[in-house]
Amino acid sequence: MGELSVDRQHLDHLLADAASGYDVPYQQAFAELAVSHRGRPAAMIVPLLRAAAERALLGFTPADLADQAEAISSGRPYELRIRVTGR
């Protein structure tokens, strides 16, 4: 399980929200990779997750990205604890 702090004004970078003007939130990118890359090596998935996180302006640690990639590769669920900051 990973943990991420996100400012309230940037929550749409992480979660899919039809009302948001943000292009591809991280949740959607993760879900697409989970379908398209299941069974592939985690080392192949990490750079794709890193790029998605950078586009969404999210600061996952390398360990979090590796853990997410392992979850995608193995098909196991991944839990992410989100701490919303700001007012």
Side-chain angles (χ1 to χ4, degrees):
M1 174 174 54
E3 184 170 318
L4 179 68
S5 293
V6 177
D7 190 281
R8 181 178 316 274
Q9 69 184 19
H10 298 297
L11 195 56
D12 63 335
H13 294 200
L14 179 64
L15 303 174
D17 178 2
S20 172
Y22 197 73
D23 188 23
V24 180
Y26 191 76
Q27 178 188 23
Q28 181 181 345
F30 182 94
E32 289 171 1
L33 286 171
V35 170
S36 65
H37 284 70
R38 183 176 184 175
R40 296 193 183 177
M44 173 189 245
I45 301 167
V46 168
L48 302 172
L49 288 172
R50 182 178 301 113
E54 287 174 1
R55 281 191 308 273
L57 306 175
L58 298 171
F60 287 109
T61 67
D64 281 336
L65 292 172
D67 193 37
Q68 291 175 41
E70 283 295 329
I72 288 172
S73 177
S74 68
R76 72 173 164 80
Y78 181 79
E79 289 183 37
L80 176 64
R81 180 175 295 144
I82 303 167
R83 180 177 301 130
V84 179
T85 60
R87 295 184 178 168

